[in-house]
Amino acid sequence: ALYRRSIEESFSGQVIIEEYLQGPQVSTETLFYQGKGYTAGFVDRNYEMLDVFAPYILENGGWQPSRLSKLQRIEIEKLIDDVAKALDIENGVIKGDIVYTETGAKVIEVATRLSGGDFSESLVPLGLGINYVRTALEIALDIKPDFEALIPKQNQFVANRYFFPAKGQLIGIHGVEQVKIQSFVKKLEFFINVGEKIQPICSHADRAGVFIVTADSLEELEKRVSWVYKTIKFDIS
């Protein structure tokens, strides 16, 4: 059944079967200039809902700072350097999706672009107080980048999470204004409109919205994430 569904979604009519590796997953962003790499961001990826959406593997946002140790980060940075050498990349950006297994760091996939999913434009800037989108533009324009500007100025806790309402017709969304007025809520967006039908959640494209919150501790961050989920109510018929 999974094979048939995958074939239906495939543009090429082919399917790639991959091994699932256990371990915490992280997103990384490394900027390269003249062969020198600087990893500006580590964000832990949140897969707490694997049992809910099985057999589909859906991510529910992430958070900054990463829980990885300094030694684990150094190992991942070395791995990304090896990727850059294998792909002959001396200038540009490598976005890494990495899993840290019991035998060390492994590459899930890499892309030669900036991250989406709020990583490059929200999670890292809000968390560390740096703007490496500017650095990526400098590299693209062959302007010598200022890597000193990427030294973290703070280490605030930041998380983004998504909404996964039940299927049915959307009648309304409640609690929006109550959430928006909170200073710790940095983003609140919805991808569906009242009157539309919500389909069963099978992929990231089916997520109904996103929010970003900040805090001074992980405990406070988790409480604020829970508060937003409790406050935003989807009225579905």
Side-chain angles (χ1 to χ4, degrees):
L2 287 173
Y3 174 80
R4 289 195 298 271
R5 176 64 190 273
S6 298
I7 281 290
E8 291 172 0
E9 297 288 340
S10 174
F11 292 110
S12 67
Q14 297 178 315
V15 172
I16 298 174
I17 299 176
E18 301 177 314
E19 178 184 5
Y20 179 78
L21 300 179
Q22 294 283 352
Q25 295 189 30
V26 294
S27 290
T28 62
E29 204 98 290
T30 306
L31 298 108
F32 286 90
Y33 183 71
Q34 296 182 350
K36 177 186 177 182
Y38 186 96
T39 300
F42 283 87
V43 170
D44 288 353
R45 306 178 73 182
N46 178 27
Y47 284 94
E48 64 186 0
M49 303 176 75
L50 288 180
D51 292 341
V52 176
F53 296 117
Y56 307 108
I57 298 177
L58 270 68
E59 176 187 359
N60 186 17
W63 66 86
Q64 198 287 142
S66 171
R67 296 178 181 177
L68 293 181
S69 68
K70 183 177 180 179
L71 288 177
Q72 289 172 322
R73 293 188 187 203
I74 290 173
E75 181 182 346
I76 290 173
E77 289 175 353
K78 172 64 167 59
L79 181 61
I80 297 297
D81 282 343
D82 290 343
V83 168
K85 291 174 184 175
L87 297 177
D88 196 26
I89 295 172
E90 292 197 348
N91 300 289
V93 182
I94 291 183
K95 169 200 177 298
D97 288 344
I98 310 296
V99 56
Y100 201 92
T101 72
E102 59 183 11
T103 58
K106 309 291 183 182
V107 173
I108 300 172
E109 66 175 7
V110 297
T112 52
R113 59 170 173 81
L114 289 169
S115 294
D118 303 306
F119 185 124
S120 61
E121 52 83 26
S122 289
L123 295 183
V124 174
L126 287 171
L128 303 181
I130 60 174
N131 178 5
Y132 66 84
V133 175
R134 177 190 297 274
T135 311
L137 288 169
E138 290 172 343
I139 294 171
L141 295 170
D142 199 23
I143 299 171
K144 184 177 180 180
D146 180 14
F147 281 153
E148 294 292 323
L150 301 184
I151 297 174
K153 299 173 179 58
Q154 61 192 36
N155 198 21
Q156 188 172 44
F157 289 80
V158 189
N160 70 328
R161 294 290 186 271
Y162 295 91
F163 295 107
F164 302 93
K167 66 178 182 179
Q169 187 168 12
L170 181 62
I171 304 301
I173 305 174
H174 308 294
V176 175
E177 294 306 318
Q178 187 179 351
V179 170
K180 278 187 173 181
I181 63 173
Q182 304 301 320
S183 61
F184 60 81
V185 176
K186 304 302 180 181
K187 180 178 184 178
L188 178 64
E189 293 182 1
F190 299 98
F191 310 143
I192 56 174
N193 299 309
V194 172
E196 292 182 354
K197 284 189 175 181
I198 300 174
Q199 303 299 324
I201 307 296
C202 298
S203 73
H204 289 155
D206 299 321
R207 296 180 292 200
V210 63
F211 65 92
I212 297 175
V213 294
T214 60
D216 293 328
S217 69
L218 181 58
E219 181 181 14
E220 184 180 29
L221 189 70
E222 290 174 340
K223 287 181 179 178
R224 288 177 172 176
V225 167
S226 296
W227 178 83
V228 173
Y229 274 131
K230 291 177 182 177
T231 305
I232 296 293
K233 303 292 185 183
F234 290 85
D235 187 1
I236 299 168
S237 64

Coordinates of all heavy atoms in Angstrom, one line a residue, residues 186-233:
K186 N 5.8 35.4 18.2 CA 6.5 36.1 17.1 C 5.9 35.9 15.7 O 6.1 36.6 14.8 CB 8.0 35.8 17.1 CG 8.7 36.0 18.4 CD 8.6 37.4 18.9 CE 9.3 37.7 20.2 NZ 9.1 39.1 20.7
K187 N 5.0 34.8 15.6 CA 4.4 34.5 14.4 C 3.2 33.7 14.6 O 3.2 32.8 15.5 CB 5.4 33.8 13.5 CG 4.9 33.4 12.1 CD 5.9 32.7 11.3 CE 5.5 32.4 9.8 NZ 6.6 31.8 9.0
L188 N 2.1 34.0 13.9 CA 0.9 33.1 13.9 C 0.3 33.2 12.5 O -0.2 34.3 12.2 CB 0.0 33.6 15.0 CG -1.4 32.8 15.1 CD1 -1.1 31.4 15.4 CD2 -2.3 33.5 16.1
E189 N 0.3 32.2 11.8 CA -0.2 32.2 10.4 C -1.0 30.9 10.2 O -0.7 29.8 10.8 CB 0.9 32.2 9.4 CG 1.7 33.5 9.4 CD 2.7 33.6 8.3 OE1 2.8 32.6 7.5 OE2 3.4 34.6 8.2
F190 N -2.0 31.0 9.3 CA -2.9 29.8 9.0 C -2.8 29.6 7.5 O -2.8 30.6 6.7 CB -4.3 30.0 9.5 CG -4.4 30.2 11.0 CD1 -4.5 31.5 11.5 CD2 -4.4 29.1 11.8 CE1 -4.6 31.6 12.9 CE2 -4.5 29.2 13.2 CZ -4.6 30.5 13.7
F191 N -2.8 28.4 7.1 CA -2.7 28.0 5.7 C -4.1 27.6 5.0 O -4.1 27.3 3.9 CB -1.7 26.9 5.5 CG -0.4 27.1 6.2 CD1 0.2 26.0 6.7 CD2 0.2 28.3 6.2 CE1 1.4 26.2 7.4 CE2 1.4 28.5 6.9 CZ 2.0 27.4 7.5
I192 N -5.1 27.7 5.8 CA -6.5 27.4 5.4 C -7.4 28.5 5.7 O -7.2 29.3 6.6 CB -7.0 26.0 6.0 CG1 -6.9 26.1 7.5 CG2 -6.1 24.9 5.5 CD1 -7.6 24.9 8.2
N193 N -8.5 28.6 5.0 CA -9.5 29.6 5.2 C -10.8 29.0 5.6 O -11.1 27.8 5.3 CB -9.7 30.4 3.9 CG -8.5 31.1 3.4 OD1 -7.8 31.8 4.1 ND2 -8.1 30.9 2.1
V194 N -11.6 29.8 6.3 CA -12.9 29.4 6.8 C -13.8 29.0 5.5 O -13.8 29.7 4.5 CB -13.6 30.5 7.5 CG1 -15.1 30.1 7.8 CG2 -12.9 30.8 8.8
G195 N -14.4 27.8 5.7 CA -15.2 27.3 4.6 C -14.5 26.2 3.8 O -15.2 25.4 3.1
E196 N -13.2 26.1 3.9 CA -12.5 25.1 3.2 C -12.6 23.7 4.0 O -12.8 23.7 5.2 CB -11.0 25.5 3.1 CG -10.8 26.6 2.1 CD -9.3 27.0 2.0 OE1 -8.5 26.3 2.7 OE2 -9.0 27.8 1.2
K197 N -12.4 22.7 3.2 CA -12.4 21.3 3.8 C -10.9 20.9 4.2 O -10.0 21.1 3.4 CB -13.0 20.3 2.8 CG -14.5 20.4 2.7 CD -15.0 19.2 1.9 CE -16.5 19.2 1.9 NZ -17.1 18.1 1.2
I198 N -10.8 20.5 5.4 CA -9.5 20.0 5.9 C -9.4 18.5 5.6 O -10.2 17.7 6.0 CB -9.4 20.2 7.4 CG1 -9.5 21.7 7.7 CG2 -8.1 19.7 7.9 CD1 -9.5 22.0 9.2
Q199 N -8.3 18.2 4.9 CA -8.1 16.8 4.5 C -7.3 16.1 5.6 O -6.7 16.7 6.4 CB -7.3 16.7 3.2 CG -8.0 17.5 2.0 CD -9.4 16.9 1.7 OE1 -9.6 15.7 1.7 NE2 -10.3 17.8 1.3
P200 N -7.3 14.7 5.6 CA -6.5 14.0 6.5 C -5.0 14.4 6.4 O -4.6 14.6 5.3 CB -6.7 12.5 6.1 CG -8.1 12.5 5.4 CD -8.2 13.8 4.7
I201 N -4.3 14.4 7.5 CA -2.9 14.8 7.5 C -2.1 13.7 7.0 O -1.9 12.7 7.7 CB -2.5 15.3 8.9 CG1 -3.5 16.3 9.5 CG2 -1.1 15.8 8.9 CD1 -3.5 17.6 8.7
C202 N -1.5 13.8 5.8 CA -0.6 12.8 5.3 C 0.8 13.3 4.9 O 1.7 12.6 4.7 CB -1.2 12.2 4.0 SG -2.8 11.4 4.3
S203 N 0.9 14.7 4.9 CA 2.2 15.3 4.5 C 2.4 16.6 5.1 O 1.4 17.2 5.7 CB 2.4 15.4 3.0 OG 1.5 16.4 2.5
H204 N 3.5 17.2 5.0 CA 3.8 18.6 5.6 C 2.9 19.6 4.9 O 2.5 20.6 5.5 CB 5.2 18.9 5.4 CG 6.1 18.2 6.3 ND1 7.5 18.0 6.0 CD2 5.9 17.6 7.5 CE1 8.0 17.3 7.0 NE2 7.1 17.0 7.9
A205 N 2.5 19.3 3.6 CA 1.6 20.3 2.9 C 0.2 20.4 3.5 O -0.5 21.3 3.3 CB 1.5 19.9 1.5
D206 N -0.1 19.4 4.4 CA -1.5 19.3 5.0 C -1.6 20.1 6.3 O -2.7 20.2 6.9 CB -1.9 17.9 5.2 CG -2.0 17.1 3.9 OD1 -2.4 17.6 2.9 OD2 -1.6 15.9 3.9
R207 N -0.5 20.6 6.8 CA -0.5 21.4 8.0 C -1.3 22.6 7.9 O -1.3 23.3 6.8 CB 0.9 21.7 8.5 CG 1.7 20.5 8.8 CD 3.2 20.7 9.3 NE 4.0 21.3 8.2 CZ 5.3 21.3 8.3 NH1 6.0 20.7 9.3 NH2 6.1 21.8 7.3
A208 N -2.1 23.0 8.9 CA -3.1 24.0 8.8 C -2.5 25.4 9.2 O -3.2 26.4 9.0 CB -4.3 23.7 9.7
G209 N -1.4 25.5 9.8 CA -0.9 26.8 10.2 C 0.4 26.6 11.1 O 0.8 25.5 11.3
V210 N 1.0 27.7 11.5 CA 2.2 27.7 12.2 C 2.3 28.8 13.2 O 1.7 29.9 13.0 CB 3.4 27.8 11.3 CG1 3.4 29.1 10.5 CG2 4.8 27.5 12.0
F211 N 3.0 28.6 14.3 CA 3.3 29.7 15.2 C 4.7 29.6 15.8 O 5.3 28.5 15.8 CB 2.3 29.8 16.4 CG 2.3 28.6 17.3 CD1 3.1 28.6 18.5 CD2 1.5 27.4 17.0 CE1 3.1 27.5 19.3 CE2 1.5 26.3 17.9 CZ 2.3 26.4 19.0
I212 N 5.3 30.8 16.2 CA 6.6 30.8 16.8 C 6.5 31.5 18.2 O 5.9 32.6 18.3 CB 7.6 31.6 15.9 CG1 7.8 30.9 14.6 CG2 8.9 31.8 16.6 CD1 8.6 31.6 13.6
V213 N 7.1 30.9 19.2 CA 7.2 31.5 20.5 C 8.6 31.6 21.0 O 9.4 30.8 20.6 CB 6.3 30.8 21.5 CG1 4.8 30.9 21.1 CG2 6.7 29.3 21.6
T214 N 8.9 32.5 21.9 CA 10.2 32.7 22.6 C 10.0 32.6 24.1 O 8.9 32.8 24.6 CB 10.8 34.0 22.2 OG1 10.0 35.1 22.6 CG2 11.0 34.1 20.7
A215 N 11.1 32.3 24.8 CA 11.1 32.2 26.2 C 12.5 32.2 26.7 O 13.5 32.2 25.9 CB 10.4 30.9 26.7
D216 N 12.7 32.4 28.0 CA 14.0 32.4 28.7 C 14.5 31.1 29.2 O 15.6 31.0 29.7 CB 14.0 33.4 29.8 CG 13.8 34.8 29.4 OD1 14.2 35.2 28.2 OD2 13.1 35.6 30.1
S217 N 13.7 30.0 29.0 CA 14.1 28.7 29.5 C 13.3 27.7 28.7 O 12.2 28.0 28.1 CB 13.8 28.5 31.0 OG 12.5 28.4 31.2
L218 N 13.8 26.4 28.6 CA 13.1 25.4 27.9 C 11.8 25.1 28.5 O 10.8 24.9 27.9 CB 14.0 24.1 27.8 CG 13.4 22.9 27.1 CD1 13.0 23.3 25.6 CD2 14.3 21.7 27.1
E219 N 11.7 25.1 29.9 CA 10.5 24.8 30.6 C 9.4 25.8 30.3 O 8.2 25.5 30.0 CB 10.7 24.8 32.1 CG 9.5 24.5 32.9 CD 9.7 24.5 34.4 OE1 10.8 25.0 34.8 OE2 8.9 24.0 35.2
E220 N 9.8 27.1 30.3 CA 8.9 28.2 29.9 C 8.4 28.1 28.5 O 7.3 28.3 28.1 CB 9.5 29.5 30.2 CG 8.6 30.7 30.0 CD 9.3 32.0 30.3 OE1 10.5 32.1 30.1 OE2 8.6 33.0 30.7
L221 N 9.4 27.7 27.6 CA 9.0 27.6 26.2 C 8.0 26.5 26.0 O 7.0 26.7 25.2 CB 10.3 27.2 25.4 CG 10.2 27.2 23.9 CD1 10.1 28.6 23.3 CD2 11.4 26.5 23.3
E222 N 8.1 25.3 26.6 CA 7.2 24.3 26.5 C 5.8 24.7 27.0 O 4.8 24.3 26.4 CB 7.7 23.0 27.2 CG 8.9 22.4 26.5 CD 9.5 21.3 27.3 OE1 9.3 21.2 28.6 OE2 10.2 20.4 26.8
K223 N 5.8 25.4 28.1 CA 4.5 25.9 28.6 C 3.8 26.9 27.7 O 2.6 26.8 27.5 CB 4.7 26.6 30.0 CG 5.1 25.7 31.1 CD 5.3 26.5 32.4 CE 5.6 25.6 33.6 NZ 5.8 26.3 34.8
R224 N 4.6 27.7 27.0 CA 4.0 28.7 26.1 C 3.5 28.0 24.8 O 2.5 28.3 24.2 CB 5.0 29.8 25.7 CG 5.2 30.7 26.9 CD 6.3 31.8 26.6 NE 6.3 32.7 27.7 CZ 7.1 33.8 27.8 NH1 8.1 33.9 26.9 NH2 7.0 34.6 28.8
V225 N 4.2 26.9 24.3 CA 3.7 26.1 23.2 C 2.4 25.5 23.6 O 1.4 25.5 22.8 CB 4.8 25.1 22.8 CG1 4.2 24.0 21.9 CG2 6.0 25.7 22.2
S226 N 2.3 24.9 24.7 CA 1.1 24.2 25.2 C -0.1 25.2 25.3 O -1.2 24.9 24.9 CB 1.3 23.6 26.5 OG 2.2 22.5 26.4
W227 N 0.3 26.5 25.8 CA -0.8 27.5 25.9 C -1.4 27.9 24.6 O -2.6 28.0 24.5 CB -0.2 28.7 26.6 CG -1.2 29.8 26.8 CD1 -2.1 30.0 27.8 CD2 -1.4 30.9 25.9 NE1 -2.9 31.1 27.6 CE2 -2.5 31.7 26.4 CE3 -0.7 31.4 24.8 CZ2 -2.9 32.9 25.8 CZ3 -1.2 32.5 24.1 CH2 -2.2 33.3 24.7
V228 N -0.5 28.0 23.6 CA -1.0 28.4 22.3 C -1.9 27.3 21.7 O -3.0 27.6 21.2 CB 0.1 28.7 21.3 CG1 -0.4 28.9 19.9 CG2 0.9 29.9 21.7
Y229 N -1.5 26.1 21.9 CA -2.3 24.9 21.4 C -3.7 24.9 22.1 O -4.7 24.6 21.5 CB -1.6 23.6 21.6 CG -0.7 23.2 20.5 CD1 0.6 22.8 20.7 CD2 -1.1 23.3 19.1 CE1 1.5 22.5 19.7 CE2 -0.2 22.9 18.1 CZ 1.1 22.5 18.4 OH 1.9 22.2 17.4
K230 N -3.7 25.2 23.4 CA -5.0 25.2 24.1 C -5.9 26.4 23.8 O -7.1 26.3 23.8 CB -4.7 25.2 25.6 CG -4.1 23.9 26.1 CD -3.7 24.0 27.6 CE -3.1 22.7 28.1 NZ -2.7 22.8 29.6
T231 N -5.3 27.5 23.4 CA -6.0 28.7 23.2 C -6.6 28.8 21.8 O -7.7 29.3 21.6 CB -5.1 30.0 23.4 OG1 -4.5 29.9 24.7 CG2 -5.9 31.2 23.3
I232 N -5.9 28.3 20.8 CA -6.4 28.3 19.4 C -7.3 27.1 19.2 O -6.9 25.9 19.4 CB -5.2 28.2 18.4 CG1 -4.3 29.5 18.5 CG2 -5.8 28.0 17.0 CD1 -5.0 30.7 18.0
K233 N -8.5 27.3 18.9 CA -9.5 26.3 18.7 C -10.1 26.3 17.3 O -10.5 27.4 16.8 CB -10.7 26.5 19.7 CG -10.3 26.5 21.1 CD -9.8 25.2 21.6 CE -9.5 25.2 23.1 NZ -9.0 23.9 23.6

